[in-house]
Amino acid sequence: MSTYAVTGASSGMGRAVAAKLASAGHTVIDVDIVDATVTADLSTPAGRDRAAAAVLELSGGRLDGAVMAAGLGPAPGRDRPRLIGEVNYFGVVDLLDAWRPALAEADRAKVVVFASNSSTTVPMVPGRAVRAFLDGDLDRVLGTLRIFGKQAPTFAYAASKIAISRWVRRTAVTPEWAGAGIRLNAIAPGAVLTPLLEKQLATPAEARQIKRFPVPIGGFGDAEQLADWVVFMLSDSADFLCGSVVFVDGGSDAWFRADDWPRPVPARRLRGYLNRMRAFRR
């Protein structure tokens, strides 16, 4: 049996994943702000340090995988954009950076990061905010988003999910990750019926907006089904899955950008592409 760390394990999809792994006989080190083996506030650097250290201690320095399901949605509030950035981006990157040696100790470790289809369905997300996330500069992210006023949490959420998806893609294929036998991928859910979505549906204005959003198959996703996808992405069957962002969203991403993906490498990037190929082969 394997040992997995699961963040955001006290509710929603994280809880469903943790339950399925535990029922299969695996050891689950659950991390959340309440009701968890490791209680830590991932919205602060100190909380992230605590979570990282506690998991390493409990795992004995060896992890077979991790599921990064902790996240905050775009609720109102002046400080919400900062909290979203701290949890949704740095709450993933900082912990995985700390856990990478423990993951490398395992044989064919798997990591699944929760992204979102907001990364491709929210328009007008500033590229500067995404780049600032990837540069590790949250203050610059917040400065970029200030022009959006009350809508800033929505754009902070989308920017955080775009940035973490790109971080996964960039990081997964490096010698430190793929070369060390670690498979790093992301899952991008759409509207899944979790306590967070139920709370939004209880607000008439938010409910109307959510129900207008195009979901070709109709309805909402199920947390248990999403957990099944994650369990598969942690399995030996996913050994050849690396750097992928898997959309499980009822068709919304395809509805918005049916012709945008896949696309070939642009000719203007050919030189860089060939240089990377040569470096990889060496």
Side-chain angles (χ1 to χ4, degrees):
M1 293 292 102
S2 301
T3 299
Y4 295 100
V6 181
T7 70
S10 293
S11 65
M13 290 177 280
R15 182 175 182 176
V17 171
K20 285 183 182 289
L21 291 173
S23 68
H26 300 296
T27 297
V28 177
I29 305 172
D30 52 313
V31 180
D32 214 317
I33 195 167
V34 294
D35 301 327
T37 302
V38 176
T39 55
D41 183 357
L42 300 186
S43 72
T44 68
R48 295 193 289 272
D49 288 346
R50 168 179 161 69
V55 168
L56 290 174
E57 181 179 355
L58 290 169
S59 68
R62 183 184 186 278
L63 282 171
D64 296 285
V67 179
M68 315 307 287
L72 294 178
R78 282 183 59 185
D79 202 39
R80 192 68 173 188
R82 177 176 291 278
L83 294 173
I84 288 170
E86 295 277 15
V87 176
N88 294 9
Y89 185 79
F90 295 100
V92 175
V93 172
D94 289 355
L95 292 184
L96 289 182
D97 280 346
W99 294 343
R100 193 202 64 80
L103 292 161
E105 284 292 318
D107 179 32
R108 295 147 65 194
K110 309 289 195 307
V111 177
V112 180
V113 172
F114 269 75
S116 168
N117 74 345
S118 293
S119 60
T120 60
T121 62
V122 175
M124 298 173 58
V125 179
R128 287 179 298 168
V130 175
R131 290 191 293 273
F133 268 124
L134 291 165
D135 289 341
D137 191 340
L138 183 55
D139 287 336
R140 185 153 55 93
V141 172
L142 299 176
T144 300
L145 298 176
R146 198 167 292 128
I147 61 170
F148 293 102
K150 292 182 179 180
Q151 296 301 315
T154 297
F155 290 97
Y157 180 81
S160 73
K161 294 300 186 178
I162 295 170
I164 202 59
S165 298
R166 291 187 185 173
W167 181 86
V168 165
R169 299 273 289 170
R170 293 179 179 187
T171 304
V173 296
T174 62
E176 294 78 14
W177 288 80
I182 309 167
R183 299 295 175 261
L184 173 60
N185 295 285
I187 189 166
V192 177
L193 200 56
T194 61
L196 174 62
L197 181 59
E198 289 172 349
K199 183 178 179 181
Q200 292 174 313
L201 290 171
T203 304
E206 289 191 58
R208 285 193 296 272
Q209 186 174 356
I210 291 168
K211 290 175 181 178
R212 283 199 300 264
F213 188 83
V215 181
I217 69 166
F220 301 114
D222 177 85
E224 298 293 324
Q225 293 176 350
L226 265 293
D228 287 335
W229 275 92
V230 173
V231 171
F232 170 77
M233 293 168 73
L234 295 171
S235 74
D236 291 346
S237 296
D239 277 351
F240 207 51
L241 191 68
C242 179
S244 294
V245 181
V246 180
F247 284 82
V248 186
D249 70 347
S252 298
D253 173 66
W255 189 93
F256 275 97
R257 54 177 207 134
D259 297 325
D260 290 354
W261 183 262
R263 61 175 62 183
V265 176
R268 59 187 170 81
R269 296 186 184 176
L270 185 58
R271 182 177 297 176
Y273 175 75
L274 293 174
N275 289 338
R276 290 185 69 190
M277 287 290 290
R278 293 189 190 101
F280 180 77
R281 286 171 179 162
R282 285 200 294 269

